[in-house]
């Protein structure tokens, strides 16, 4: 039997630092006394850790608040100007690159168009690297001020330094996207499935906030989901959990873009809806064409709602979530115009008890939530203490913003 790993004072201090910083980010501004109550740390530990974080300018004072009968208490918050996070959304028709501060305010954005037949990995990488340069130039920032780059992509992302991506609709089979991007930048890099990054964004800042068991679905040209259980994203054995669009809704049904038959995506994905309506709009015009179709109340839209209701009901029956968030540009379009019908279709296909305890709502963060979620990958590492404490040998490419 292996002996338990010994924890040093340094390990304990780092753990305390991560717990305090995370609580301050999500519950701040807060006083030291409130932080002690929120974290369960002693007043002395809170004082020591906040002293270090103040000295490093990771947190700053945010005014005073009256206390009961004593001296006013100083409020603390995470310093939004400590560093930037870059979020990248690699979609069917675009590469979006956005620069955020630690309050997730967007400071700059760059966009590049992709054509349906131009998902060449090297082209995507060139767009990502050009976008990083563009947003830094627009914000007059330097790479030294960036904590990292998060990238949301379609398909399955294998963890590891190469970040192998399996995206059948792109024709990618084990593309080492992480290695390719790292060849062009020294910034810390985090790659994940786009539906999962959007799910984390909605969990942190949007319609999923406050829920520990939720599912965030992304419906655009493609279809995916982020399954959140116990407040954490469920990934499965190989990080492929959440490929909801490729669950089967009809045996021997329509051919999906992945090559299989009867996938949910082949019935509720934007491209498939237009095809079933007899429209052959170019992928660049998908959003406008689908918007016209949904507003017209065409029969194919009503049929799509039935398939969507069955697909969401499967998630309810399998995972018993407290909340389902409908996101992605096509999902938001359908929810905006047809949420009542969607809920009715879900109720018709769900078990009664789990349906009665779930709420179904549109996403709150809009169609660009994937890029925001990709940036949260960087912030998540920052809050967990991936940026070493002072004196631990901070990497040269991670510094504080001026001012």
């Amino acid at each position: 039997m292996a002996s338990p790993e010994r924890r040093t004072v340094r390990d304990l201090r780092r753990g305390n630092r991560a717990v305090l910083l995370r609580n301050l980010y999500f519950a701040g501004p807060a006083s030291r006394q409130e932080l002690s109550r929120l974290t369960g740390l002693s007043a002395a530990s809170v004082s020591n850790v906040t002293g270090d974080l103040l000295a490093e300018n990771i947190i700053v004072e945010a005014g005073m608040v009256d206390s009961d009968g004593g001296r006013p208490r100083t409020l603390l918050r995470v310093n939004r100007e400590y560093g930037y996070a870059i979020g990248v959304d690699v979609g069917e028709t675009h590469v979006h690159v956005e620069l955020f501060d630690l309050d997730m305010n967007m400071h700059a954005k760059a966009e590049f168009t992709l054509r349906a037949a131009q998902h060449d990995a090297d082209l995507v990488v060139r767009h990502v690297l050009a976008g990083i340069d563009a947003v830094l130039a627009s914000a007059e920032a330097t790479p030294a001020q960036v904590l990292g780059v998060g990238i949301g992509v379609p398909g399955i992302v294998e963890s590891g330094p190469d970040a192998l991506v399996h995206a059948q609709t792109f024709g990618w089979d084990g593309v080492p996207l992480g290695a390719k991007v790292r060849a062009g930048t020294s910034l810390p890099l985090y790659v994940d499935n786009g539906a999962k990054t959007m799910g984390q964004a909605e969990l942190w800042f949007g319609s999923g906030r406050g829920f520990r068991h939720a599912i965030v679905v992304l419906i655009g040209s493609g279809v995916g989901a982020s399954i959140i259980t116990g407040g954490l994203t469920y990934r499965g054995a190989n990080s492929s959990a959440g490929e909801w669009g490729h669950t089967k809704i009809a045996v021997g049904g329509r051919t999906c873009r992945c090559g299989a038959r009867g996938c949910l995506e082949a019935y509720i994905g934007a491209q498939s809806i237009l095809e079933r309506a007899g429209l052959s709009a170019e992928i660049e015009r998908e959003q406008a064409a689908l918007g016209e179709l949904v507003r017209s109340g065409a029969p194919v839209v009503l049929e799509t709602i039935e398939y969507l209701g069955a697909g969401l009901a499967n998630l309810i029956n399998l995972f018993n979530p407290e909340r389902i968030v409908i996101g992605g540009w096509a999902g938001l379009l359908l929810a905006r115009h047809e949420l009542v019908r969607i809920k009715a279709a879900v109720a018709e296909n769900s078990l009664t008890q789990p349906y009665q305890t779930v709420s179904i709502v549109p996403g709150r963060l809009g169609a660009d939530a994937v890029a925001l979620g990709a940036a949260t990958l960087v912030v998540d590492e920052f809050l967990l203490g991936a940026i070493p404490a002072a004196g631990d040998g901070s990497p040269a490419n991670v510094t504080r913003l001026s001012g």
Side-chain angles (χ1 to χ4, degrees):
M1 179 177 176
S3 59
E5 184 179 347
R6 292 184 59 189
R7 296 195 67 198
T8 65
V9 172
R10 184 176 178 181
D11 293 331
L12 182 62
R13 195 176 179 91
R14 282 190 172 186
N16 289 347
R17 174 189 176 100
V19 168
L20 190 146
L21 191 57
R22 197 170 187 87
N23 274 273
L24 194 56
Y25 186 79
F26 290 107
S31 67
R32 290 174 177 82
Q33 290 85 348
E34 289 171 317
L35 287 170
S36 182
R37 176 178 55 80
L38 286 169
T39 63
L41 299 175
S42 69
S45 292
V46 170
S47 180
N48 288 335
V49 174
T50 55
D52 289 344
L53 293 171
L54 282 164
E56 297 169 53
N57 204 31
I58 292 175
I59 66 174
V60 293
E61 294 183 352
M64 309 287 286
V65 63
D66 290 336
S67 61
D68 297 331
R71 292 185 302 173
R73 296 174 177 175
T74 302
L75 294 175
L76 304 172
R77 64 169 173 83
V78 173
N79 180 10
R80 69 176 67 91
E81 297 181 342
Y82 179 79
Y84 290 115
I86 294 176
V88 181
D89 171 13
V90 177
E92 299 274 347
T93 62
H94 62 259
V95 174
H96 289 168
V97 183
E98 302 179 8
L99 181 75
F100 301 89
D101 62 28
L102 288 181
D103 274 354
M104 306 317 288
N105 300 307
M106 188 177 69
H107 288 258
K109 180 176 183 176
E111 300 183 37
F112 303 87
T113 299
L114 292 174
R115 295 188 178 276
Q118 293 184 336
H119 292 139
D120 176 73
D122 290 334
L123 174 64
V124 169
V125 170
R126 289 198 295 273
H127 286 333
V128 170
L129 295 173
I132 292 171
D133 291 340
V135 296
L136 290 179
S138 179
E140 298 183 347
T142 67
Q145 295 172 300
V146 178
L147 299 173
V149 178
I151 303 178
V153 296
I156 299 165
V157 181
E158 290 188 42
S159 60
D162 289 344
L164 300 178
V165 180
H166 305 269
Q168 289 180 227
T169 57
F170 273 27
W172 291 8
D173 183 13
V175 169
L177 187 66
K180 286 177 175 288
V181 176
R182 282 193 182 90
T185 180
S186 61
L187 293 173
L189 183 66
Y190 311 92
V191 184
D192 204 351
N193 170 268
K196 289 184 174 70
T197 71
M198 188 188 77
Q200 182 154 295
E202 288 286 353
L203 184 69
W204 281 20
F205 307 114
S207 296
R209 184 159 188 170
F211 293 89
R212 292 180 57 76
H213 303 281
I215 296 176
V216 182
V217 300
L218 185 157
I219 307 172
S221 300
V223 175
S226 178
I227 301 161
I228 296 142
T229 178
L232 300 173
T233 301
Y234 176 69
R235 297 182 174 277
N238 302 302
S239 296
S240 70
E243 288 294 326
W244 176 56
H246 301 291
T247 56
K248 306 310 172 196
I249 203 76
V251 175
R254 287 173 50 84
T255 301
C256 179
R257 297 184 305 162
C258 73
R261 299 177 68 86
C263 295
L264 181 64
E265 183 177 302
Y267 294 89
I268 69 170
Q271 185 176 331
S272 73
I273 299 171
L274 294 175
E275 288 175 354
R276 284 166 38 237
L279 302 176
S280 57
E282 292 292 326
I283 194 168
E284 294 83 1
R285 288 199 65 253
E286 269 189 346
Q287 297 193 25
L290 185 61
E292 294 171 7
L293 198 62
V294 170
R295 285 188 290 272
S296 74
V300 70
V301 175
L302 301 181
E303 182 185 60
T304 297
I305 290 168
E306 293 300 317
Y307 284 115
L308 175 56
L312 293 176
N314 287 340
L315 294 175
I316 291 171
N317 293 342
L318 279 170
F319 296 105
N320 186 208
E322 303 166 271
R323 170 156 286 193
I324 288 180
V325 179
I326 301 175
W329 67 266
L332 291 171
L333 178 64
L334 288 165
R336 184 163 61 247
H337 291 277
E338 297 290 356
L339 189 59
V340 172
R341 282 196 176 101
I342 291 170
K343 289 181 177 180
V346 176
E348 185 178 345
N349 291 281
S350 299
L351 292 171
T352 303
Q353 191 274 341
Y355 177 76
Q356 290 176 340
T357 58
V358 69
S359 55
I360 302 171
V361 300
R364 192 181 300 163
L365 301 178
D368 291 338
V370 172
L372 175 64
T376 69
L377 301 177
V378 178
V379 178
D380 199 25
E381 290 295 322
F382 168 71
L383 297 177
L384 289 172
I387 307 302
D392 286 349
S394 299
N397 63 341
V398 178
T399 61
R400 293 174 285 281
L401 298 180
S402 60

